[in-house]
Amino acid sequence: MPGEAASAQIGRSAVRAALHAYGLDPLVPAAVQVAGELLAAGWHLDPGGSLYLNLRYREDDRLRLTVYDGHAAHDHPRLAAHCEARRRAALRLLRVVVRECGGEWGFGESREPGGGTRTWVSLPRAGALGYGDPVAARSGGRRG
């Protein structure tokens, strides 16, 4: 999708529809928040470029979301450190969501032919089920 502000909303809608189609509706709140954050950061760091969103439910009961953007790594160490700090700052809310769900996230050089950066999130089903549910959060992810 194009690296534009509207891409985050388009991506959230696509994630919502895909999860619904596969009967994974309880994962929608966490997944939609993560997709929006990943796409917004990709657009912010590479405006006008292309973004690629990948959504996968893995056999180990984890939801994996990956966004590829065209912002390539910098050769100069100081520029690379500044860019990494900028990406981390852009993903502050994402870190909170991932931590609340008990997941993992990271970013690095894209292995895609066009290069750029790959940012990924892995959310365990159990953690994503309780996202945004204050009752589940107070009881360690368990309801009732």
Side-chain angles (χ1 to χ4, degrees), residues 46 49-52 67-73 108-118:
D46 188 31
S50 292
L51 300 170
Y52 173 77
V67 168
Y68 297 87
D69 64 63
H71 190 83
E109 193 173 335
S110 173
R111 292 175 254 154
E112 296 298 309
T117 301
R118 173 181 63 100

Side-chain angles (χ1 to χ4, degrees), residues 22-129:
Y22 287 97
L24 296 169
D25 296 285
L27 304 179
V28 166
V32 164
Q33 184 70 51
V34 165
E37 296 300 317
L38 289 172
L39 289 164
W43 161 66
H44 180 71
L45 294 163
D46 188 31
S50 292
L51 300 170
Y52 173 77
L53 171 65
N54 182 299
L55 173 69
R56 189 169 33 156
Y57 190 76
R58 300 170 61 112
E59 293 174 7
D60 61 355
D61 283 335
R62 296 180 78 82
L63 185 64
R64 174 102 172 185
L65 294 98
T66 307
V67 168
Y68 297 87
D69 64 63
H71 190 83
H74 298 277
D75 292 331
H76 192 280
R78 202 171 305 151
L79 285 175
H82 174 72
C83 187
E84 181 176 325
R86 215 172 138 215
R87 187 173 294 270
R88 287 187 186 282
L91 294 168
R92 245 178 274 161
L93 180 56
L94 175 88
R95 286 194 313 259
V96 172
V97 174
V98 172
R99 184 178 61 233
E100 186 174 322
C101 293
E104 300 172 311
W105 76 283
F107 59 88
E109 193 173 335
S110 173
R111 292 175 254 154
E112 296 298 309
T117 301
R118 173 181 63 100
T119 309
W120 58 269
V121 170
S122 180
L123 300 175
R125 178 183 178 87
L129 287 174

Side-chain angles (χ1 to χ4, degrees), residues 10-22:
I10 294 166
R12 288 191 300 263
S13 295
V15 165
R16 185 178 292 110
L19 291 176
H20 176 73
Y22 287 97

